[in-house]
């Protein structure tokens, strides 16, 4: 309609916004090629409207969106480049020393890229800058979702560092703040996500009873929010998390049941034939359960499905951690089968 109103070849902010919105949908669907195409169209149109060298919030947003797509693709160099462009433009717009939510968000995005790169020192630095700025904007004692998110991001870095005490502390701060914002008895995705994060820490600590309790709380709340019979990614994630606890407990039957529930829900959401990183991860998780059960044929089948889907998503020749993990998993199966030639081949692929 916007093209019909303004002209198919016209540069207009409404058309650029539509491109942006379509890009966001494709990113949610896991179609990162299309997402990148539409977000780039949005960026190019905004530059044509405001000027190629102009500083404008719409351009900064486009940079951020493109950075997020590159992060999802595992191209962290490009992700860092675009998120930094967004940060620099926000600083040019609002002032380098100004406290502003857009600058704080850019710090957070950059922190998340550094975490994915395994540079936890830089990740912690940027997430802390984001937290400090949000507190400066809203008030040091304020309860706000942006502050809660910063606590959660910092907890995630500590969790990756294996500092589970600090991770639990920050995740609990995030949970308490979400409850303060939405109500202690409220059903809300922010609270459910905090429950999930805390459950994951307890799983890492080997406290499986607590882990199961928190992941179940998260599942129940997500069902209360979205509907008990609804297919939703958050519910699928809860199923996967509960499965991981059962896996840690050595209850592979229950683990397989919950991972299968997660996989079926993801296929219902994205399409039975869709290529999506969440589906690829589910295949890998189910493969791991079969490996633990000693069913190497099924393990090999699911690990190969995961590998093929990762290649379809990232590119057959792409270098990506998910592809490397799949190679390693397949090598592990062949080693267990005593096929050392194939094991060596896949282990080498993973290394290279």
């Amino acid at each position: 309609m916007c093209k019909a109103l303004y002209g198919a070849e016209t540069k207009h902010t409404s058309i650029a916004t539509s491109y942006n919105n379509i890009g966001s949908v494709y990113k949610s669907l896991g179609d990162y090629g299309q997402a990148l195409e539409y977000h780039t169209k949005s960026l190019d149109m905004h530059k044509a409207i405001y000027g190629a060298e102009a500083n404008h919030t719409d351009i900064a947003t486009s940079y951020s969106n493109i950075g997020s797509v590159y992060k999802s693709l595992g191209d962290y160099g490009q992700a860092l480049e675009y998120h930094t462009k967004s940060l620099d433009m926000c600083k040019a717009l609002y002032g380098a020393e100004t406290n502003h939510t857009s600058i704080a968000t850019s710090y957070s995005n950059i922190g998340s890229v550094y975490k994915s790169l395994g540079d936890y020192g830089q990740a912690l630095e940027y997430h802390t800058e984001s937290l400090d700025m949000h507190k400066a904007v809203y008030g040091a004692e304020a309860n706000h979702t942006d502050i809660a998110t910063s606590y959660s991001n910092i907890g995630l870095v500590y969790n990756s560092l294996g500092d589970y005490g600090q991770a639990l502390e920050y995740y609990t701060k995030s949970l308490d703040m979400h409850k303060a914002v939405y109500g202690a008895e409220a059903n809300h995705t922010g609270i459910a996500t905090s429950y999930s994060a805390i459950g994951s820490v307890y799983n890492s600590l080997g406290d499986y009873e607590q882990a199961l309790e928190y992941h179940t709380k998260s599942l129940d709340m997500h069902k209360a929010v979205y509907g008990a019979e609804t297919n939703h990614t958050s519910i699928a994630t809860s199923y996967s998390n509960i499965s991981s606890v059962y896996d840690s407990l050595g209850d592979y039957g229950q683990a397989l049941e919950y991972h299968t529930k997660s996989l079926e829900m993801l296929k219902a959401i994205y399409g039975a034939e869709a290529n999506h990183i969440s589906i690829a991860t589910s295949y890998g998780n189910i493969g791991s359960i079969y490996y633990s059960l000693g069913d190497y044929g099924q393990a090999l089948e699911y690990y190969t499905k995961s590998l093929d889907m990762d290649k379809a998503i990232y590119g057959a020749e792409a270098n990506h951690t998910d592809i490397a993990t799949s190679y390693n998993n397949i090598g592990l199966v062949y080693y267990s089968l005593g096929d050392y030639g194939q094991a060596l081949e896949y282990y080498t692929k993973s290394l290279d």
Side-chain angles (χ1 to χ4, degrees):
M1 187 168 290
C2 286
K3 285 186 175 181
L5 285 168
Y6 303 113
E9 302 303 317
T10 303
K11 311 294 183 185
H12 194 279
T13 55
S14 296
I15 297 173
T17 298
S18 291
Y19 283 144
N20 176 71
N21 293 339
I22 292 170
S24 296
V25 174
Y26 277 120
K27 180 177 181 292
S28 297
L29 287 167
D31 189 338
Y32 301 123
Q34 286 281 68
L36 195 59
E37 179 182 333
Y38 277 91
H39 281 312
T40 302
K41 284 182 178 180
S42 181
L43 173 64
D44 291 344
M45 189 166 287
H46 279 132
K47 284 186 172 182
I49 293 167
Y50 301 119
E53 302 302 317
N55 292 315
H56 194 278
T57 55
D58 289 342
I59 296 174
T61 298
S62 289
Y63 282 144
S64 179
N65 290 335
I66 291 171
S68 294
V69 175
Y70 277 121
K71 181 177 181 290
S72 296
L73 283 166
D75 188 338
Y76 303 126
Q78 286 280 68
L80 196 59
E81 178 183 334
Y82 277 91
H83 281 312
T84 301
K85 285 181 178 181
S86 182
L87 173 64
D88 291 344
M89 189 165 288
C90 286
K91 285 186 173 182
L93 285 166
Y94 303 115
E97 302 302 316
T98 303
N99 293 314
H100 194 277
T101 56
S102 296
I103 296 173
T105 298
S106 289
Y107 283 143
S108 177
N109 290 335
I110 292 171
S112 294
V113 175
Y114 276 121
K115 182 198 167 289
S116 296
L117 285 165
D119 189 338
Y120 302 125
Q122 284 280 69
L124 198 58
E125 179 182 332
Y126 276 92
H127 281 313
T128 301
E129 285 190 34
S130 180
L131 173 63
D132 291 343
M133 189 166 288
H134 279 131
K135 285 186 173 182
V137 171
Y138 300 118
E141 302 301 317
N143 292 313
H144 195 279
T145 56
D146 288 344
I147 297 174
T149 298
S150 288
Y151 282 142
S152 181
N153 288 334
I154 292 171
L156 193 61
V157 176
Y158 278 121
N159 191 55
S160 297
L161 285 165
D163 189 339
Y164 302 123
Q166 284 281 67
L168 194 59
E169 178 183 334
Y170 277 91
Y171 284 149
T172 302
K173 284 181 178 180
S174 181
L175 172 62
D176 291 343
M177 189 163 288
H178 277 127
K179 286 186 173 182
V181 171
Y182 300 114
E185 302 301 317
N187 291 314
H188 193 276
T189 56
I191 297 173
T193 300
S194 291
Y195 282 145
S196 177
I198 291 170
S200 295
V201 174
Y202 278 122
N203 191 38
S204 297
L205 287 167
D207 189 339
Y208 303 126
E209 183 178 348
Q210 285 278 68
L212 201 56
E213 178 183 335
Y214 276 92
H215 282 314
T216 302
K217 283 182 178 180
S218 180
L219 173 63
D220 291 344
M221 190 167 287
H222 279 130
K223 285 186 173 182
V225 171
Y226 300 114
E229 303 302 317
T230 304
N231 293 315
H232 194 278
T233 55
S234 296
I235 296 174
T237 298
S238 289
Y239 282 143
S240 180
N241 289 335
I242 290 171
S243 178
S244 296
V245 179
Y246 279 121
D247 187 16
S248 298
L249 285 165
D251 189 340
Y252 302 125
Q254 285 280 68
L256 191 59
E257 179 183 335
Y258 277 92
H259 272 317
T260 302
K261 284 182 179 180
S262 180
L263 174 61
E264 289 172 351
M265 188 168 287
L266 290 168
K267 285 185 172 182
I269 293 167
Y270 299 116
E273 303 302 318
N275 293 314
H276 194 278
I277 53 173
S278 297
I279 296 174
T281 299
S282 283
Y283 282 142
N285 290 336
I286 291 173
S288 295
I289 300 299
Y290 278 120
Y291 180 82
S292 297
L293 285 166
D295 188 338
Y296 301 128
Q298 285 282 68
L300 192 59
E301 178 182 334
Y302 278 90
Y303 282 146
T304 302
K305 284 181 178 181
S306 182
L307 173 63
D308 291 344
M309 191 166 287
D310 283 333
K311 286 184 172 183
I313 293 167
Y314 302 117
E317 303 302 317
N319 294 312
H320 194 276
T321 54
D322 290 346
I323 296 174
T325 298
S326 290
Y327 281 141
N328 186 71
N329 288 336
I330 292 171
L332 188 64
V333 176
Y334 278 121
Y335 184 83
S336 298
L337 286 166
D339 188 338
Y340 302 126
Q342 285 281 65
L344 191 60
E345 179 182 336
Y346 278 91
Y347 282 148
T348 303
K349 285 180 178 180
S350 178
L351 174 65
D352 294 341

